[in-house]
Amino acid sequence: MITDFSRWCSALFASKRSDELYSAQARAALNPSTEEYTAYFSRWQNEQLAGIARISNVPGLCEALESGNGYFRQAALVRCAQLRNAELLPSLLLRLNDWVQPVREQAQSALTSYLAQPDPAIAAKLISLLPQVAALGRGQRADHTPSQSAIERYLQQPVHWSLLKAGLREHEVACARHCFRLLKDASSIPLTELVQFALGRRDVILTSLVFACCDELDSTARSRIYRQLLDSPFNSARAIALREVLQEAGRQDGITPTPVAPQINKALFDRSALVRDVAWHWHIRQGMDPHEPYRAVWLLDQRSPAQLRCAIWAALKAG
């Protein structure tokens, strides 16, 4: 009977249904005495825990970290702390929000071991997991702010700056956004260089972060960034950049005015009505007729569909 019981225990744990081991129905079906059942289960569980303490391969340890038995998950986290294998970090982060408090505490202890000293492999893996780290803030079982802060401080060490730069340039945009923030907070590279990295990703959120950084730049660098953003693939970014360029030209009026005619003429035929509207109202404020460039389109022998579309838009806007 004990042999059958052993196979039954193994099958249940393989299917992560360990709660059934304690059910009265299961004991009745096997018909062992309560003492025999409890003794065998304790011995069997101790053997499993000892086996987990000897696991050295990542798949086996990941399976233990996903066990339905909290003791097994806790033992697997102890082993994680000993191995410090970067491939175990995704499972470790999940256990930070485990439903069992001792497991959460052990996961925090294991994370502390991982962050004890700089390691390029661990840092690279954590950078790829930054969206998952940020998602910990939505966990309801514990306050994960200390864990998140510890990971960010670890990544902001100078030895890991090159990995963060690579993450900003090469990782998926959800990860690149976090890399941008960490690099900026660490003041690791000149802000102008950081902004160029962000603009190279062609992401609307990173572009909005660039706008937020512009106030920290000197006027020359800020003007260069705004003019670069006039060619942004995002309509709202082009509209804001054009507005800033025009405001800058207005502030320079009477000193050394910056030519804006090329940008204005281009904006009047922008594919976005939002950008065209900015240029339109600038003409009106300057006492100029905004219809003049559009009238010229009708006189052309060859008109592009985009030019014709903008000319019709202007005619409808004029009523």
Side-chain angles (χ1 to χ4, degrees):
M1 181 182 296
I2 290 297
T3 301
D4 294 337
F5 183 60
S6 177
R7 288 199 296 268
W8 182 74
C9 286
S10 299
L12 281 178
F13 271 90
S15 64
K16 301 184 180 65
R17 297 169 59 197
S18 58
D19 55 316
E20 293 189 18
L21 285 168
Y22 298 97
S23 69
Q25 183 179 2
R27 289 201 301 272
L30 290 165
N31 197 29
S33 67
T34 302
E35 293 76 10
E36 181 186 9
Y37 173 88
T38 303
Y40 182 82
F41 174 74
S42 298
R43 187 167 61 254
W44 179 86
Q45 181 171 259
N46 290 336
E47 290 173 357
Q48 298 299 312
L49 292 172
I52 291 172
R54 294 190 297 269
I55 294 177
S56 58
N57 63 86
V58 172
L61 206 48
C62 286
E63 183 177 354
L65 286 168
E66 297 173 2
S67 170
N69 186 307
Y71 293 108
F72 290 3
R73 297 197 303 277
Q74 191 171 3
L77 287 166
V78 172
R79 186 59 175 157
C80 283
Q82 296 169 350
L83 296 178
R84 295 184 76 247
N85 189 313
E87 296 304 315
L88 294 168
L89 281 168
S91 298
L92 191 155
L93 291 179
L94 288 176
R95 299 282 69 83
L96 287 171
N97 199 45
D98 196 272
W99 59 93
V100 178
Q101 182 176 348
V103 177
R104 293 197 299 270
E105 294 172 352
Q106 189 61 57
Q108 179 61 57
S109 176
L111 180 63
T112 302
S113 299
Y114 269 82
L115 306 181
Q117 55 187 0
D119 185 310
I122 291 174
K125 191 64 177 181
L126 283 173
I127 288 171
S128 69
L129 295 171
L130 280 173
Q132 186 176 335
V133 173
L136 285 173
R138 298 194 292 270
Q140 300 296 317
R141 297 189 177 106
D143 179 14
H144 298 293
T145 304
S147 299
Q148 292 172 308
S149 300
I151 291 172
E152 292 181 356
R153 287 194 302 271
Y154 178 79
L155 294 176
Q156 286 176 325
Q157 296 179 81
V159 70
H160 297 145
W161 287 353
S162 61
L163 294 172
L164 284 173
K165 293 177 190 177
L168 176 57
R169 291 193 303 265
E170 301 166 6
H171 281 290
E172 61 180 11
V173 291
C175 178
R177 295 165 187 169
H178 293 289
C179 291
F180 179 91
R181 178 177 56 81
L182 292 176
L183 286 167
K184 180 178 181 299
D185 292 345
S187 301
S188 55
I189 59 176
L191 192 54
T192 52
E193 183 182 348
L194 182 61
V195 163
Q196 291 302 324
F197 281 144
L199 291 178
R201 293 307 308 266
R202 298 170 67 88
D203 173 63
V204 67
I205 301 299
L206 283 172
T207 301
S208 67
L209 293 175
V210 167
F211 277 113
C213 291
C214 283
D215 291 338
E216 303 177 34
L217 299 171
D218 60 74
S219 59
T220 302
R222 184 168 58 246
S223 176
R224 184 167 60 250
I225 294 300
Y226 285 145
R227 289 173 184 274
Q228 186 176 348
L229 284 166
L230 290 174
D231 296 320
S232 170
F234 307 110
N235 298 339
S236 57
R238 294 197 306 278
I240 296 172
L242 179 62
R243 190 177 296 115
E244 293 293 339
V245 168
L246 296 177
Q247 289 178 357
E248 179 188 65
R251 288 192 296 267
Q252 292 178 341
D253 189 28
I255 306 174
T256 308
T258 303
V260 294
Q263 288 84 4
I264 287 295
N265 291 335
K266 181 180 178 181
L268 285 171
F269 291 93
D270 193 273
R271 63 178 179 271
S272 168
L274 187 65
V275 180
R276 296 197 299 269
D277 208 48
V278 174
W280 178 283
H281 288 289
W282 183 86
H283 273 81
I284 295 175
R285 288 195 301 272
Q286 298 299 315
M288 302 165 61
D289 183 6
H291 295 90
E292 189 60 34
Y294 297 113
R295 293 194 190 101
V297 171
W298 299 109
L299 302 177
L300 297 175
D301 293 332
Q302 294 183 344
R303 299 181 292 268
S304 69
Q307 288 176 318
L308 186 59
R309 184 168 59 250
C310 291
I312 294 173
W313 171 84
L316 293 173
K317 190 175 181 66

